[in-house]
Structures are given as C-alpha cells and as structure tokens.
C-alpha cells in the first residue's frame, strides 16, 4: 500500500468518528505553476485551426489535397516527439539542481520558438520551430512534481483535478487564438489589411499572441515561484544551478570549490521540509531520509510500469481523436469532410473547451477523493466509446455527442493518471524522474498519434476503406485495448472504494 492510500485510510480510522480536515491549497504557488503549465496546450493547439491551410500554402503538397493530412500530421507530431525526447532529462535535472531553474527556462525558449513558427514561409522551418516548442515544453513533468510537493494526502486530488483544467483552458484559448487571429489582413481589412506584413505572414498574429502568454509565464515564475525541492536533496542552489548549466553548455569543468552557500541554501526558510504547502499533514509523496538517494532502477516497479502504460495508451487515443476531428472538419466536402474554415473550427473547439474546464474544476476533485483515481479512470474511459465514432450525414448530432462525451471523460482521466503516478512513486527523491518518465511516454504517444491518425485518415479516403471511415474503426479497437489494460491498474483509496 502506498503512502497516499495509507493516509486516506487513516482519515476514517478510529471508530469512524475522527475525520481529518482537508488542507487548504497553496493558491499562489499553484497559480504560478498553472500559468506555466497553460503555455503547453496554448502553443500546442494554437496552430490546429490553420495548420492544414498553412501547410497547403507552403507548397509542400504540390496541390495534392490528399497529402495535406500527412504533412500536417508531421508538423503536429513534431511538437510532442521533441517533448518526449527531452522531458525525462528535464525531470532528472530538476532532481539534481532544483525545480525553479528548470521551470523558468521553458517559457522563455517557448516564446521565441512561437515567433519563429509564425515567421516561417516554407515547410521545413515549420517543423524545426515546432520541434523547438516541444523541447522547451519538456519541463511539464517538473511542474507536476511541484504540485505533488506543495500538497499533502488530503488535497492532492483537488490540485491534480486542476492540472487537466490547464490543458483544457489552454486547448480552449489556443484554437480560439488560432482561428480568430489567423489571416487578420483579410478579416479586418480596415486595420490589419493596411499593413503589408500581415499579408506576407498571415499566421504570425496568433503565434505572437501565444508567444506573449508564454513570455508572461516566464516573467511571473522568475519573480514569484519558490523552490520546493528540499535543499538536502539538491546538488546545487539556484545561482549554482545556472552556473552548472552554463559550464555544461560551454564544457567548462565545474569548480569543486563551488560556493558552499549556493550548494546548500534553500530559497524558502522551510524548504528543508517536504511539508511545504501543507499544515502538518503527511506529504503525498513517500518519505525517506535525505541521504538515502536511491538508484533510478528502483523507480520501475510493476505498479509504476502499469500506470505509465495506461497513461501512454490514453494519451495516444485522446490525441489521435483530437487531431482527427479538426482534420475532418477542414477537409473539403468532396473528400468526405465538412469544409469548415479555421474561424468556425476555432470557435467550435473553444466553446466546448470552456465547458470541459468548468467540469474539471468542480467535479473531478470530489470524484477522485470519493472513488480513488483508479476507479475514476476506469469508468471515464468507458464513456469514450461514443466519441470514437466518425462523422456521417447526421453531422450535427455526431459533433454534439463527441464533444459532450469528451467533456465528461477526458479531464478525469488525466487527473487520475497524475495522482496515480505520485502514488506509485516509491521514493520522493525520484519524483521528478517519475513524472518525467510518465510524461515522456505520454509525449511520445502524443508525438505518434497525430501523424498516425492523420495518415490513416488520408489513406482511408484515398482507398475508400470502409467508406473512408476505417481510421475511426481502428481507434475504436484501440479503445477496447485501453479498457482492458486499465483493469491491471493498482488499487487506489477513496471514500467510496
């Protein structure tokens, strides 16, 4: 039994009369972390309404509409592929030098990469800057470690329920920015239409808007974010961490006589305690003496491997469906799509994203506390059977059904997986690596999903497999596999379990 499960059981131990009060969430620090987290979905999804048209305008398809899905999928997947390649390294690095230096570097690089994407004119620069966006988003696992470190067993479910809300909020803001702000010279002829720059770079404005939000998170986190990794666990302090990174980048040997104060001083007066952000409750992360640094191999327990496997499968399925829906919406009617323009796609996805965020904020936390993350995940994925269907003649009903089911199911699944990763982490000193490993698998799944889904969509149309809808049947089969593997998740505590 993990520490978190044990704590949940202790809340109702005794004669059933003693109930431990839930610790208030550390709102300021959570707000800063969430501001950093929201940069990932905004930059990931802002391109969705216009990426297909952007790819067409680069000339890479040669006018062949059936190739758009291939190249658009490559651009979308590159973000998550580069994120997957770096996320574990970011997590491991945060275990060595602290969370803050790693967290504030990401938004800065991300804002620069978004500007480069908007200024691209040909296809391969799009791929390059998309890869840079993913690389600087690789610290998303570190932010999840911070959430675990500033909460305890009574409020971690509430905190992690808000984590997918950041994705939902960003996935709401991103498509709306991409749809509303793309090609501004043609939409607002009296203002942007008088500026030649926006005719030459019709997709710079939404990219610049996303870049500004990422840069804002860099400024705020640089000023107000506090270190949460205990100083006894860090190899270097804040100044020493940046010096270490510079020395590594320049291949300069690190002075063994590095400022001792930097190596041991905490940014917080109580940073030596893992109870930061709590009020005396046991931390949600298993505790061990600070000197007992475990080998990385200790992380790979059966429960951790099972949890990460489910997390990866769910990421693959959800991202594939998320990529297929706007692709089907934007594909011309003559090829089996709906022929929607970027504006309509952005408004449609943004509207349902708002509803998703509200549900995540108010319903997911109580559900996890009552039933435990495992049961919430297992039951939520059953609802996704409805959203795996394709778009046929009854398009209005299908669109409505797809988004309603995704609203109900997706956020609870992500929140449950986040809590489970913390629960099955065998040692608090491995928490950064644990979240980094889970995020690496999830990001790899997200890297492959859009390209595979978009390619299968294109092949289904080209060869008329199952009337052009074979891709949806394949993902329906994948969902059956996900439901089966979820049965092997470790049991998690909850008042209703």
């Amino acid at each position: 039994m993990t520490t978190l499960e044990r704590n949940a059981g202790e809340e109702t131990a005794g004669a059933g009369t003693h109930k431990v009060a839930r610790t208030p969430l550390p709102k300021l620090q959570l707000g800063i972390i969430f501001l950093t987290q929201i940069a990932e979905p905004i930059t990931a999804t802002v391109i969705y309404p216009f990426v297909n048209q952007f790819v067409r305008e680069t000339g890479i398809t040669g006018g062949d509409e059936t190739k758009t899905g291939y190249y658009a999928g490559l651009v979308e997947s590159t973000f998550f592929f580069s994120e997957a390649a770096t996320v574990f390294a970011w997590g491991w690095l945060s275990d060595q030098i602290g969370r803050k230096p790693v967290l504030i570097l990401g938004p800065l690089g991300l804002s620069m990469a978004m500007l480069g994407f908007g200024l691209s004119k040909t296809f391969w620069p799009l791929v390059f800057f998309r890869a840079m966006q993913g690389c600087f988003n690789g610290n998303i696992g570190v932010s999840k470690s911070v959430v675990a470190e500033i909460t305890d067993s009574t409020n971690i479910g509430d905190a992690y329920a808000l984590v997918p809300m950041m994705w939902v909020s960003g996935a709401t803001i991103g498509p709306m920015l991409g749809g509303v702000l793309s090609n501004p010279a043609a939409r607002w002829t009296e203002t942007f239409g008088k500026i030649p720059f926006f005719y030459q770079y019709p997709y710079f404005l939404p990219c610049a808007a996303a870049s500004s939000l990422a840069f804002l998170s860099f400024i705020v986190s640089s000023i107000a974010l506090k270190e949460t990794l205990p100083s006894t666990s860090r190899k270097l302090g804040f100044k020493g961490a940046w010096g270490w990174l510079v020395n590594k980048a320049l291949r300069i040997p690190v002075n063994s006589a590095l400022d001792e104060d930097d190596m041991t001083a905490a940014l917080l007066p109580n940073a030596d305690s893992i109870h930061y952000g709590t009020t005396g409750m046991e931390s949600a992360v298993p505790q061990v003496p600070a000197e007992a640094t475990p080998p990385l191999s200790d992380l790979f327990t059966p429960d951790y491997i099972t949890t990460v496997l489910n997390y990866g499968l769910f990421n693959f399925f959800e991202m594939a469906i998320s990529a297929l829906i706007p692709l089907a919406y934007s594909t011309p009617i003559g090829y089996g799509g709906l022929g929607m323009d970027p504006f309509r796609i952005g408004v449609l996805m943004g509207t349902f994203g708002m509803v998703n965020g509200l549900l995540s904020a108010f319903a997911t936390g109580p559900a996890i506390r009552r039933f435990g993350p495992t049961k919430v995940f297992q039951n939520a994925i059953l609802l996704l059977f409805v959203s795996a269907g394709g778009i046929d003649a009854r398009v209005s009903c299908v669109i409505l059904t797809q988004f309603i089911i995704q609203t109900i199911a997706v956020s609870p699944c992500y929140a449950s997986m986040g809590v489970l990763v913390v629960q099955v982490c065998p040692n608090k000193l491995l928490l950064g690596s644990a979240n980094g490993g889970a995020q690496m698998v999830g990001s790899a799944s997200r890297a492959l999903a859009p390209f595979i889904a978009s390619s299968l969509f294109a092949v289904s149309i080209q060869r008329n497999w199952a009337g052009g809808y074979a891709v949806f049947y394949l993902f329906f089969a994948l969902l059956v596999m996900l439901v089966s593997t979820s049965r092997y998740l470790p049991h998690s505590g909850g008042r209703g379990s």
Side-chain angles (χ1 to χ4, degrees):
M1 179 181 293
T2 65
T3 301
L4 190 57
E5 294 172 31
R6 186 164 58 250
N7 294 344
E10 289 171 356
E11 291 184 13
T12 54
T17 59
H18 178 66
K19 183 178 180 179
V20 177
R22 195 161 71 248
T23 306
L25 291 172
K27 297 181 179 62
L28 176 60
Q29 290 301 301
L30 274 180
I32 297 171
I33 290 299
F34 290 157
L35 181 61
T36 302
Q37 286 185 342
I38 203 172
E40 183 200 20
I42 290 176
T43 53
T45 62
V46 68
I47 72 169
Y48 283 174
F50 62 79
V51 65
N52 297 296
Q53 185 61 30
F54 203 169
V55 167
R56 294 184 188 106
E57 292 177 5
T58 64
I60 191 69
T61 64
D64 186 350
E65 182 61 37
T66 61
K67 294 181 179 180
T68 302
Y70 293 113
Y71 290 107
L74 178 60
V75 173
E76 294 168 6
S77 297
T78 300
F79 177 94
F80 297 103
F81 179 80
S82 58
E83 183 180 73
T86 58
V87 67
F88 185 80
W90 287 120
W92 175 85
L93 184 63
S94 75
D95 284 338
Q96 310 302 310
I97 66 175
R99 314 299 188 205
K100 183 173 180 177
V102 175
L103 280 177
I104 66 177
L105 179 62
L108 178 62
L110 184 58
S111 62
M112 300 297 104
M114 282 304 307
L115 293 178
F117 189 91
L119 292 172
S120 300
K121 295 289 289 182
T122 56
F123 179 74
W124 292 112
L126 291 182
V127 175
F128 172 78
F129 285 112
R130 188 66 169 167
M132 290 299 98
Q133 294 165 26
C135 177
F136 286 109
N137 259 312
N139 60 12
I140 186 68
V142 179
S143 67
K144 293 181 178 180
S145 298
V146 174
V147 172
E149 288 169 339
I150 64 177
T151 56
D152 58 36
S153 59
T154 67
N155 60 10
I156 187 173
D158 296 283
Y160 267 89
L162 298 174
V163 171
M165 182 181 173
M166 294 305 101
W167 176 269
V168 170
S169 300
T172 300
I173 297 171
M176 291 184 71
L177 289 176
V180 174
L181 299 181
S182 62
N183 203 6
R187 183 166 292 120
W188 298 291
T189 56
E190 294 300 317
T191 52
F192 291 100
K194 297 179 180 180
I195 305 175
F197 175 85
F198 290 106
Y199 284 102
Q200 188 176 5
Y201 301 98
Y203 306 109
F204 175 78
L205 187 60
C207 293
S211 172
S212 299
L213 289 172
F215 190 75
L216 175 64
S217 69
F218 162 72
I219 295 295
V220 173
S221 59
S222 297
I223 296 172
L225 182 65
K226 297 180 178 181
E227 183 61 72
T228 61
L229 186 68
S231 61
T232 52
S233 301
R234 297 198 305 272
K235 303 299 186 294
L236 300 170
F238 184 67
K239 290 191 297 181
W242 286 109
W244 184 87
L245 288 174
V246 171
N247 289 336
K248 283 293 185 181
L250 300 177
R251 298 184 181 276
I252 300 174
V254 179
N255 187 349
S256 59
L258 188 66
D259 187 357
E260 187 68 20
D261 291 337
D262 276 341
M263 297 183 67
T264 58
L267 290 179
L268 299 178
N270 62 339
D272 287 332
S273 169
I274 62 173
H275 303 295
Y276 170 74
T278 70
T279 56
M281 289 300 301
E282 187 174 358
S283 170
V285 187
Q287 303 178 36
V288 294
E291 65 273 7
T293 304
L296 194 59
S297 58
D298 285 3
L299 177 63
F300 300 102
T301 62
D303 283 350
Y304 179 77
I305 293 173
T306 302
T307 300
V308 171
L309 174 62
N310 277 270
Y311 183 64
L313 285 175
F314 175 73
N315 271 272
F316 185 90
F317 175 83
E318 192 272 331
M319 192 62 192
I321 296 300
S322 296
L324 282 174
I325 288 176
L327 179 57
Y329 289 174
S330 70
T331 299
I333 295 176
Y335 288 92
L338 302 180
M340 290 185 180
D341 59 26
F343 180 83
R344 293 175 63 188
I345 295 173
V347 171
L348 182 62
M349 296 178 70
T351 300
F352 283 96
M354 292 180 192
V355 179
N356 199 349
L358 291 174
L359 178 70
S360 175
F362 295 106
T364 303
I368 291 177
R369 285 199 307 274
R370 179 173 179 80
F371 302 107
T374 297
K375 285 188 177 180
V376 170
F377 179 80
Q378 290 171 340
N379 287 280
I381 58 176
L382 292 176
L383 296 175
L384 291 173
F385 276 106
V386 179
S387 70
I391 300 175
D392 56 19
R394 295 174 291 278
V395 61
S396 298
C397 293
V398 172
I399 290 175
L400 182 63
T401 301
Q402 284 177 328
F403 277 111
I404 288 176
I405 296 302
Q406 285 184 317
T407 296
I408 296 173
V410 171
S411 291
C413 286
Y414 277 120
S416 299
M417 284 289 101
V419 175
L420 277 172
V421 169
V422 175
Q423 285 188 358
V424 300
C425 178
N427 190 300
K428 75 179 182 69
L429 299 181
L430 294 173
L431 185 59
S433 299
N435 276 303
Q439 196 66 35
M440 179 181 67
V441 173
S443 297
S445 299
R446 287 175 168 268
L448 295 173
F451 181 72
I452 293 176
S454 300
S455 299
L456 288 175
F457 181 85
V459 171
S460 297
I461 293 177
Q462 284 179 330
R463 304 189 180 183
N464 198 32
W465 289 347
Y469 298 111
V471 59
F472 294 101
Y473 294 118
L474 291 174
F475 281 100
F476 187 88
L478 176 64
L479 185 56
V480 173
M481 181 191 307
L482 177 59
V483 171
S484 300
T485 58
S486 72
R487 302 298 113 180
Y488 297 95
L489 284 170
H491 173 73
S492 58
R495 293 198 305 268
S497 61

